[in-house]
Amino acid sequence: MTKRLRPDQFPPWYDGQSINEAAFCREFLASHKLLYTENSFFTPEGRMTDVAPLKTEIYQIIEPYASTSVPKKISNIIELLKITAHIDDFPPQTDRIHVANGTLFLDGSYFASNDEIVRSRFPVAYNTSAPSPEVWLRFLSSLLYEDDIPALQEYIGYCLIPSNKGQRMMVIKGSGGEGKSQIGAVLGTLFGSNMKDGSIGKISENRFARADLEHILLCVDDDMRMEALRQTNYVKSIVTAQGKMDLERKGKQSYQGWMCARLLAFSNGDLQALFDRSDGFYRRQLVLTTKEKPAGRVDDPDLAEKMKAEVEGILPVSYTHLRAHETRG
């Protein structure tokens, strides 16, 4: 039998008969770091990509006090939380990288705290004792020409901060079978929910595709289509975005949102435009060409998993290349 609570044991948002949703939100926000802006909740773990865990926690709190219309009450509380926790602006912080166990600053300092509400947080810890990512480095050495490896490392580092000031997208091209797509698998582990698989072709054709990249730091096209792009303005707008841009979603009024997504594509050829012959389109591409696949090479089916296990070592390498780039100005 469930033990009945006395009135003096009721939480401040329950009067014995009904739940005061506004009072619940005030108490909830007093004990939870949460804010709402740009159609998303943000927490110390970064943007909340799924509200299901939040709904579950709210249900666990109110379950002893709500017997009817519980899903509706939870939905009402979520909507009220959006109003109560709303802030007008939450600009990206381009001088720091929020990692699993703290914050790395581009001046070389490190703050070991992860309780600040942030736009994004990487699922990888910063570990100064992490071993060198030897499998990753050997892989890059076999895939790319020596002079191109620092360019890739620097680009990955550049993608760690929410800034498009580099004004470049990267295309890694080869004839096929070199293993270049393994890079995307490793970056998926490093970036977590801050990375999205996408299509350069879709971005170029669909005006709604840019909104899908809102809050995303890196978009990877694992197998870029070889057809020439009919229009390039949507792609160029993402590559050159600085500040907010106009975003559209189906059936909704357009709005201004931060766009920090960088584009990385793997391809068997060049990214071409059907009508755009301007220097600007091609100048925005940083193109790396892979080495030919060695005859008789035996591929390791576990290579991606081995490199994923090295992400704590890959992070400092990318961070070091980013800092070197920033120092050069």
Side-chain angles (χ1 to χ4, degrees):
M1 180 179 295
T2 303
K3 183 179 179 180
R4 296 179 61 86
L5 296 176
R6 303 188 308 272
D8 63 321
Q9 295 176 311
F10 291 159
W13 40 265
Y14 181 67
D15 63 6
Q17 294 183 332
S18 61
I19 293 173
N20 184 319
E21 293 162 359
F24 178 91
C25 288
R26 286 195 296 270
E27 182 174 277
F28 190 84
L29 291 176
S31 58
H32 293 73
K33 293 191 173 184
L34 188 73
L35 61 82
Y36 185 82
T37 190
E38 304 170 38
N39 302 309
S40 294
F41 285 108
F42 293 88
T43 74
E45 296 301 313
R47 181 173 66 97
M48 187 180 293
T49 57
D50 183 6
V51 297
L54 178 61
K55 289 182 177 181
T56 299
E57 183 172 3
I58 292 171
Y59 170 72
Q60 291 171 343
I61 296 173
I62 71 171
E63 189 270 336
Y65 312 101
S67 57
T68 61
S69 302
V70 177
K72 183 178 180 180
K73 289 183 187 296
I74 294 174
S75 295
N76 289 343
I77 289 172
I78 293 289
E79 292 305 309
L80 193 55
L81 276 175
K82 292 179 181 180
I83 299 172
T84 311
H86 180 267
I87 61 173
D88 290 332
D89 200 15
F90 190 38
Q93 298 171 302
T94 59
D95 65 338
R96 64 199 68 182
I97 304 165
H98 300 290
V99 293
N101 57 340
T103 301
L104 276 168
F105 292 86
L106 297 193
D107 63 4
S109 59
Y110 169 71
F111 183 56
S113 174
N114 57 3
D115 59 357
E116 172 190 1
I117 298 177
V118 296
R119 293 183 66 91
S120 59
R121 188 177 295 279
F122 291 88
V124 178
Y126 178 60
N127 179 7
T128 56
S129 301
S132 175
E134 296 301 329
V135 178
W136 167 253
L137 295 176
R138 283 197 302 271
F139 166 74
L140 294 184
S141 180
S142 67
L143 179 72
L144 299 172
Y145 295 99
E146 184 177 354
D147 292 342
D148 288 340
I149 295 175
L152 174 62
Q153 298 279 35
E154 186 175 296
Y155 191 80
I156 294 172
Y158 163 63
C159 293
L160 296 174
I161 58 173
S163 169
N164 276 337
K165 68 180 182 179
Q167 304 279 288
R168 294 287 191 278
M169 65 174 290
M170 177 172 280
V171 177
I172 301 179
K173 68 175 185 175
S175 56
E178 305 90 354
K180 53 187 180 293
S181 62
Q182 302 277 19
I183 295 174
V186 175
L187 295 183
T189 300
L190 176 60
F191 281 76
S193 62
N194 301 302
M195 189 186 104
K196 181 181 179 71
D197 292 327
S199 166
I200 302 299
K202 181 180 178 181
I203 293 171
S204 73
E205 298 163 1
N206 188 335
R207 72 177 189 271
F208 302 117
R210 290 186 300 178
D212 292 336
L213 299 180
E214 188 181 14
H215 310 302
I216 296 298
L217 292 176
L218 175 62
C219 174
V220 173
D221 188 340
D222 189 61
D223 188 12
M224 188 175 69
R225 296 190 331 225
M226 295 306 301
E227 295 91 346
L229 304 183
R230 296 184 60 84
Q231 58 181 7
T232 61
N233 55 316
Y234 291 144
V235 173
K236 288 193 293 188
S237 68
I238 292 175
V239 174
T240 61
Q242 296 191 61
K244 291 187 174 182
M245 69 159 50
D246 194 61
L247 301 176
E248 296 181 78
R249 296 186 184 274
K250 287 184 179 179
K252 295 185 179 181
Q253 179 69 34
S254 64
Y255 61 98
Q256 293 290 304
W258 293 100
M259 179 57 64
C260 303
R262 269 57 52 86
L263 306 178
L264 172 62
F266 304 105
S267 173
N268 293 336
D270 294 316
L271 177 60
Q272 301 284 346
L274 193 59
F275 303 113
D276 187 348
R277 301 306 180 194
S278 67
D279 176 63
F281 173 66
Y282 295 96
R283 183 164 45 85
R284 300 304 180 194
Q285 300 178 39
L286 181 58
V287 181
L288 305 182
T289 302
T290 65
K291 296 178 181 178
E292 291 291 331
K293 179 180 177 179
R297 187 186 74 183
V298 178
D299 294 329
D300 182 355
D302 299 321
L303 178 61
E305 295 304 316
K306 292 176 181 177
M307 292 191 293
K308 288 178 183 179
E310 294 184 325
V311 288
E312 281 195 8
I314 295 172
L315 174 64
V317 173
S318 302
Y319 170 63
T320 299
H321 279 81
L322 171 63
R323 288 195 60 217
H325 172 75
E326 292 295 304
T327 301
R328 293 195 304 269

